[in-house]
């Protein structure tokens, strides 16, 4: 029976091949879309993997994640350095990275942070940031740039760059007087990091404060930030104090040695200086957000509770993965549309098969009459058609999966580089197997229609051979 | 012994007012060869279908080798057909993508009985039958059936009908696509092989020039009218 079926199909190999191809396409598409969707979702949810909590001034979770992880928009108010230290000292917290933002370099967001950022940030499913060249910034005038920034402007380690104030696309407020030197370039990640410029907290503050002072000599600022304190006509005395403190903090991160006197001093400075700079996003000594890692993941709730109880400042501790999934759900309409489309193509593939099987039936009446004359039962002929469908479906599915794997191998590097997606050639997941089974079953179900027609035909035709 | 027995067989195609067949009685003796003629549309093919049990016939109207065809259920009837009957059509007897040899062996594929009766090696038997019917070339019989001439195809069909020694061979105008000379050769070969295997032959044709080769000749319209 199998042999007969196989040879009969071989006889119609051109049309059978086309059918197999259309089924393969359906399978590849439907599985591909599914794989891409889950990968995109997982990749997206992992855009901030490694970070257990993002702490910012009370605000919308999604907005906070958008600002801190993707560099889109800003967080609301700042967080005082005080709060940063309070959080850092919480026993449940294993590490913290401060984040300052709101500036841009030629349209690319500038992030003020500590060196630890590069150790703790994870993207695309847990990958660490890798330096394509150079090293993290060591001094206030050092900058690390994302791959896209490097590519866009041809920057490499050692290039001097100038930041502009404000996060608009057009930089009208160029700080020629506060250049940075690129110390490192990050490897392509396919995430927002590619579009970011990272500088130290002092660098960020210096950059930020400079326009008010209108100092012509950049070296004054870069080589000795505390010198800025000399400009007493502005608020720089107050401003530079916390800078110094932050610097100290960065350099002795493990020590946790913050003299209480120092702290008080910083606080005093901040309270006096904070109001004077109401027009700016950042006040010296305030940061926008904190990336934090926990000693134990289960401590999330207790940290969140503690922060909610924090009286000095209204803080929010965002679980980035939860917020990201929330954000992802916004795209679910597009996702659904994509899946519907893949489903429609699969349906078209199935219909194509049924059309092929049905169209061939009239030409094959003779074949069935001959088979019946030599003892094939109508049920046998019925199952012959079903067997044919099974063969076509099977071949189509195998070809589709192979084609998809080949395609994946081919475009994986491209996807990884451009979108941070890594589909990978693995065995199909349970869901994918389920989808394939669905294609198979619906194809088989659909082929019952022509098989039934044949069944009735063989009964009514009798022995007469028709053309 | 009678291999085919028809008794008050009435058959009407669905949706038609008059019965195509209404045969009071018709018998085919073992080893007998009968020529059946009748104008087009008189029901010759329908009669063969009734004997083969491909169409539904009333109970005890048709007996083949002692079996009441009308009493058999669907699957049994198909098995019975391949066990007891060899069938040759007018044209297009063969599955074009199988070789002549494979086409000849088709009944053995579906029937254990035919396989058993075609000797220890059905393939050798098929080859012998084909060569007796004039297809000696091994290259020829391994060629796809679609690459054979019509006359060659009809001889392959005859070989297929004969393999495994069925009780009855039904032939529905197998010669109408052949020229005069080939016709006579084909009929003579078919008759010879039927004699050799002991099968009775019911040969339908409107070509009366072939009548002389057969033991007996029957006119279907007359049979239908009740005159034997
Ligand atoms: N499958 C069918 N369904 C309905 N009516 C049919 C069917 N097959 C044949 N008939 C009718 O039965 C009658 C006899 O047909 P049949 O094929 O038996 O004739 P025939 O004697 O074999 O003719 P021919 O010499 O042309 O082959 C015709 O009137 C035909 O219309
Ligand atoms: Mg006919």
């Amino acid at each position: 029976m199998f042999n007969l079926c196989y040879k009969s199909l071989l006889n119609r190999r051109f049309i059978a091949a086309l059918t197999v191809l259309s089924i393969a396409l359906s399978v590849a598409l439907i599985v591909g879309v599914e794989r891409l969707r889950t990968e995109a979702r997982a990749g997206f949810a992992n855009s901030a993997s490694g970070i257990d909590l993002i702490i910012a001034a009370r605000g919308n979770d999604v907005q906070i994640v958008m600002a801190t992880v993707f560099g889109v928009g800003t967080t609301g108010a700042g967080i005082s350095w005080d709060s940063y230290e309070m959080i850092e000292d919480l026993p449940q917290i294993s590490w913290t990275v401060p984040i300052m933002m709101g500036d841009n370099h030629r349209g690319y967001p500038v992030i003020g942070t500590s060196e630890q950022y590069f150790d703790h940030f994870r993207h695309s499913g847990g990958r660490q940031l890798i330096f394509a060249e150079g090293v993290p910034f060591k001094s206030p005038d050092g900058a690390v740039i994302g791959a896209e920034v490097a590519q866009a402007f041809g920057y490499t380690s050692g290039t001097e760059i100038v930041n502009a104030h404000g996060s608009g696309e057009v930089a009208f407020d160029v700080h020629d007087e506060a250049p940075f030197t690129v110390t490192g370039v990050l490897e392509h990640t396919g995430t927002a990091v590619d579009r970011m410029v990272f500088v130290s907290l002092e660098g960020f503050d210096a950059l930020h404060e400079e326009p008010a002072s209108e100092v012509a000599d950049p070296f004054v600022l870069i080589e000795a930030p505390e010198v800025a304190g000399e400009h007493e006509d502005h608020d720089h005395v107050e401003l530079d104090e916390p800078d110094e403190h932050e610097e100290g903090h960065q350099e002795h991160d493990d020590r946790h040695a913050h003299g209480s006197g120092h702290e008080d001093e910083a606080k005093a400075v901040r309270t006096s200086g904070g109001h004077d700079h109401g027009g700016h996003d950042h006040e010296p000594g305030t940061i926008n957000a904190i990336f934090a890692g926990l000693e134990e993941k289960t401590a999330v709730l207790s940290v969140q509770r503690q922060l909610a109880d924090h009286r000095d400042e209204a803080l929010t501790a965002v679980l980035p993965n939860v917020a990201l999934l929330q954000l992802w759900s916004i795209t679910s309409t597009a996702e659904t549309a994509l899946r519907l489309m893949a489903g429609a193509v699969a349906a078209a593939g199935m219909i194509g098969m049924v059309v092929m099987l049905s169209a061939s039936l009239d030409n094959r009446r003779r074949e069935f009459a001959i088979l019946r004359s030599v003892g094939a039962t109508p049920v046998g002929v019925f199952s012959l058609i079903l067997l044919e469908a099974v063969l076509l479906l099977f071949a189509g599915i195998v070809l589709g999966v192979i084609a998809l794997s080949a395609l994946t191998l081919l475009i994986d590097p491209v996807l990884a580089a451009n979108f941070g997606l890594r589909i990978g050639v693995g065995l199909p997941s349970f869901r994918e197997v389920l989808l394939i089974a669905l294609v198979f079953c619906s194809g088989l179900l659909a082929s019952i229609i022509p098989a039934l027609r044949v069944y009735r035909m063989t009964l009514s035709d009798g022995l007469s051979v028709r053309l | 012994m009678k291999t085919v027995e028809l008794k008050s067989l009435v058959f009407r195609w669905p949706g038609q007012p008059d019965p195509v067949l209404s045969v009071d009685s018709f018998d085919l003796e073992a080893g007998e060869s009968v020529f059946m003629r009748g104008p087009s549309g008189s029901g010759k093919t329908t009669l063969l279908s009734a004997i083969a049990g491909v169409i539904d016939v009333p109970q005890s109207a048709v007996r083949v080798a002692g079996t009441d065809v009308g009493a058999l259920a669907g699957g049994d009837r198909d098995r019975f057909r391949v066990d007891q009957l060899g069938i040759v059509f007018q044209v297009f007897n063969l599955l074009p993508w199988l070789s002549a040899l494979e086409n000849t062996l088709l009944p053995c594929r579906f029937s254990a009985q035919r396989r058993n009766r075609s000797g220890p090696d059905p393939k050798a038997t098929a080859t012998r039958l084909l060569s007796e019917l004039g297809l000696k070339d091994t290259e020829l019989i391994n060629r796809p059936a679609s690459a054979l001439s019509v006359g060659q195809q009809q001889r392959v069909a005859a070989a297929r009908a004969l393999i495994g020694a069925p009780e009855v061979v039904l032939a529905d105008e197998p010669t109408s696509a052949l020229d005069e000379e080939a016709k006579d050769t084909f009929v003579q070969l078919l008759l010879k092989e039927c004699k050799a295997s002991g099968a009775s032959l019911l040969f339908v044709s409107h070509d009366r020039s072939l009548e002389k080769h057969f033991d007996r000749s029957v006119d279907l319209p007359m049979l239908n009218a009740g005159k034997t």
Side-chain angles (χ1 to χ4, degrees):
Chain A
M1 195 64 152
F2 179 84
N3 198 20
L4 276 182
C5 184
Y6 170 73
K7 283 192 167 151
S8 171
L9 267 179
L10 211 62
N11 187 50
R12 286 166 286 137
R13 55 177 99 57
F14 178 69
I15 205 143
L18 279 183
T19 311
V20 165
L21 221 63
S22 85
I23 295 169
L25 191 70
S26 319
V27 169
L29 202 79
I30 204 162
V31 173
V33 163
E34 176 63 20
R35 211 174 272 187
L36 206 63
R37 195 184 64 84
T38 36
E39 279 314 308
R41 183 194 172 95
F44 190 77
N46 286 332
S47 319
S49 63
I51 304 169
D52 293 324
L53 282 174
I54 298 175
I55 298 151
R58 189 155 295 167
N60 178 276
D61 285 10
V62 170
Q63 193 189 342
I64 290 168
V65 169
M66 283 291 274
T68 55
V69 177
F70 298 107
V72 177
T74 55
T75 60
I79 306 176
S80 68
W81 192 254
D82 240 16
S83 299
Y84 177 75
E85 284 176 334
M86 184 277 291
I87 289 160
E88 190 182 32
D89 290 337
L90 287 177
Q92 302 98 314
I93 299 285
S94 80
W95 56 264
T96 54
V97 173
I99 301 289
M100 294 175 85
M101 46 200 234
D103 273 3
N104 80 85
H105 171 70
R106 296 166 83 170
Y108 291 93
V110 176
I111 307 291
T113 184
S114 68
E115 260 183 74
Q116 279 70 42
Y117 183 95
F118 307 109
D119 297 333
H120 293 301
F121 192 84
R122 296 282 187 281
H123 68 93
S124 315
R127 252 164 279 261
Q128 236 188 317
L129 292 175
I130 296 165
F131 278 82
E133 54 174 289
V135 291
F137 46 76
K138 290 273 187 271
S139 57
D141 67 335
V144 170
I145 55 174
E148 198 181 320
V149 180
Q151 205 178 10
F153 306 119
Y155 295 162
T156 54
S157 312
T159 309
E160 272 210 347
I161 63 173
V162 174
N163 272 20
H165 178 53
S167 48
E169 188 65 37
V170 181
F172 50 88
D173 192 5
V174 178
H175 304 243
D176 281 305
E177 66 280 2
F180 287 89
T181 306
V182 175
T183 62
V185 179
L186 293 172
E187 224 159 59
H188 224 292
T189 65
T191 66
V193 169
D194 294 347
R195 301 178 45 81
M196 290 177 175
V197 176
F198 300 92
V199 299
S200 67
L201 292 175
E202 307 90 302
F204 194 88
D205 262 344
L207 158 89
H208 199 266
E209 291 315 316
E210 220 19 61
S213 68
E214 285 172 4
V215 171
D217 182 6
F219 296 103
V220 175
L221 189 93
I222 293 156
E223 286 175 9
E226 55 285 349
V227 178
E230 289 168 13
H231 304 270
E232 303 209 278
D233 49 335
H234 293 285
D235 306 307
H236 282 135
V237 176
E238 299 101 304
L239 300 179
D240 285 331
E241 282 283 348
D243 277 6
E244 208 171 52
H245 172 80
E246 281 158 32
E247 190 175 33
H249 167 68
Q250 265 176 265
E251 283 167 2
H252 318 286
D253 204 26
D254 43 339
R255 254 196 316 140
H256 292 274
H258 302 286
S260 58
H262 199 129
E263 234 177 315
D264 290 342
E265 187 186 305
K267 196 183 239 166
V269 162
R270 194 173 37 259
T271 39
S272 62
H275 301 292
D276 296 352
H277 284 262
H280 289 276
D281 284 323
H282 311 282
E283 293 163 4
T286 71
I287 55 177
N288 290 83
I290 303 164
F291 287 171
L294 295 170
E295 294 284 0
E296 270 174 74
K297 307 278 174 207
T298 48
V300 167
L301 282 178
S302 77
V303 172
Q304 278 184 320
R305 206 174 312 118
Q306 246 164 309
L307 290 183
D309 292 343
H310 186 57
R311 301 249 170 255
D312 301 356
E313 256 175 321
L315 295 174
T316 307
V318 182
L319 287 162
N321 290 9
V322 174
L324 284 167
L325 282 181
Q326 213 176 324
L327 195 57
W328 181 260
S329 67
I330 296 168
T331 65
S332 65
T333 321
E335 208 182 317
T336 309
L338 204 63
R339 291 169 82 181
L340 275 179
M341 214 130 86
V345 170
M350 294 303 108
I351 290 170
M353 187 186 74
V354 172
V355 165
M356 177 256 175
L357 286 176
S358 304
S360 67
L361 293 188
D362 285 322
N363 299 330
R364 296 173 67 201
R365 277 180 109 123
R366 157 163 69 111
E367 178 184 338
F368 302 134
I370 292 165
L371 283 173
R372 286 212 72 195
S373 78
V374 296
T377 62
V379 174
V381 176
F382 178 84
S383 38
L384 195 73
I385 299 292
L386 281 193
L387 189 64
E388 231 169 68
V390 167
L391 279 180
L392 290 172
L393 282 167
F394 186 75
I397 286 170
V398 168
L399 188 71
V401 170
I402 290 174
L404 182 67
S405 302
L407 193 73
T408 309
L409 268 181
L410 223 70
I411 64 166
D412 213 28
V414 182
L415 276 182
N418 291 321
F419 306 107
L421 283 179
R422 244 166 270 254
I423 296 173
V425 190
L427 284 174
S429 72
F430 178 69
R431 259 189 83 89
E432 286 166 20
V433 170
L434 224 64
L435 272 175
I436 290 172
L438 195 74
V439 168
F440 186 83
C441 290
S442 55
L444 205 59
L445 221 65
S447 67
I448 286 181
I449 301 167
L452 266 180
R453 260 191 71 207
V454 166
Y455 181 84
R456 285 215 301 275
M457 225 150 74
T458 53
L459 287 181
S460 70
D461 275 3
L463 267 191
S464 47
V465 178
R466 281 150 215 278
L467 275 181
Chain B
M1 200 190 81
K2 292 170 183 132
T3 49
V4 175
E5 257 183 294
L6 304 184
K7 241 186 202 83
S8 20
L9 166 67
V10 178
F11 180 82
R12 172 193 328 259
W13 281 105
Q16 291 195 352
D18 300 320
V20 181
L21 299 176
S22 62
V23 180
D24 268 351
S25 101
F26 171 79
D27 295 335
L28 196 59
E29 296 292 331
E32 190 183 21
S33 64
V34 174
F35 181 83
M36 180 171 283
R37 59 176 191 268
S40 182
S42 58
K44 303 185 295 292
T45 304
T46 309
L47 181 74
L48 295 188
S49 298
I51 295 171
V54 181
I55 54 177
D56 266 323
V57 288
Q59 283 202 10
S60 64
V62 179
R63 278 177 187 280
V64 175
T67 309
D68 183 355
V69 175
L72 291 173
D76 291 338
R77 209 185 281 182
D78 291 300
R79 231 157 290 129
F80 153 82
R81 180 187 319 124
V82 66
D83 284 348
Q84 308 295 345
L85 300 172
I87 300 166
V88 186
F89 300 113
Q90 183 171 5
V91 279
F92 306 119
N93 271 290
L94 310 178
L95 296 178
W97 59 90
L98 292 183
S99 71
L101 192 62
E102 285 170 313
N103 264 294
T104 308
L105 286 165
L106 270 177
C108 299
R109 219 186 253 254
F110 287 95
S111 159
Q113 208 170 323
R114 293 281 289 271
R115 191 165 52 241
N116 293 339
R117 281 189 306 211
S118 51
D121 183 5
K123 221 172 195 163
T125 311
T127 315
R128 181 184 54 77
L129 265 173
L130 284 168
S131 80
E132 279 169 13
L133 284 162
L135 301 169
K136 296 193 174 63
D137 195 346
T138 46
E139 186 273 330
L140 193 76
I141 63 173
N142 283 306
R143 228 190 261 173
S146 52
L148 296 177
S149 80
V150 176
Q152 288 167 335
Q153 285 184 28
Q154 291 306 83
R155 278 179 277 170
V156 174
R160 185 181 63 203
L162 286 161
I163 196 164
E167 295 284 337
V168 185
V169 172
L170 304 175
D172 190 359
E173 310 197 43
T175 55
S176 59
L178 305 179
D179 62 44
E180 287 305 319
E181 222 170 306
K183 257 181 210 172
D184 275 321
T185 324
F186 178 81
V187 170
Q188 276 162 2
L189 281 172
L190 184 63
L191 279 166
K192 190 184 118 211
E193 290 306 321
C194 284
K195 282 261 144 52
S197 74
S200 35
L201 172 65
L202 184 55
F203 189 99
V204 164
S205 179
H206 52 255
D207 185 352
R208 300 200 63 158
S209 70
L210 298 170
E211 216 173 329
K212 57 181 186 285
H213 300 292
F214 293 83
D215 295 346
R216 172 156 81 91
S217 151
V218 179
D219 185 67
L220 184 58
M222 281 170 72
L223 194 67
N224 260 334
K227 294 163 243 165
T228 317

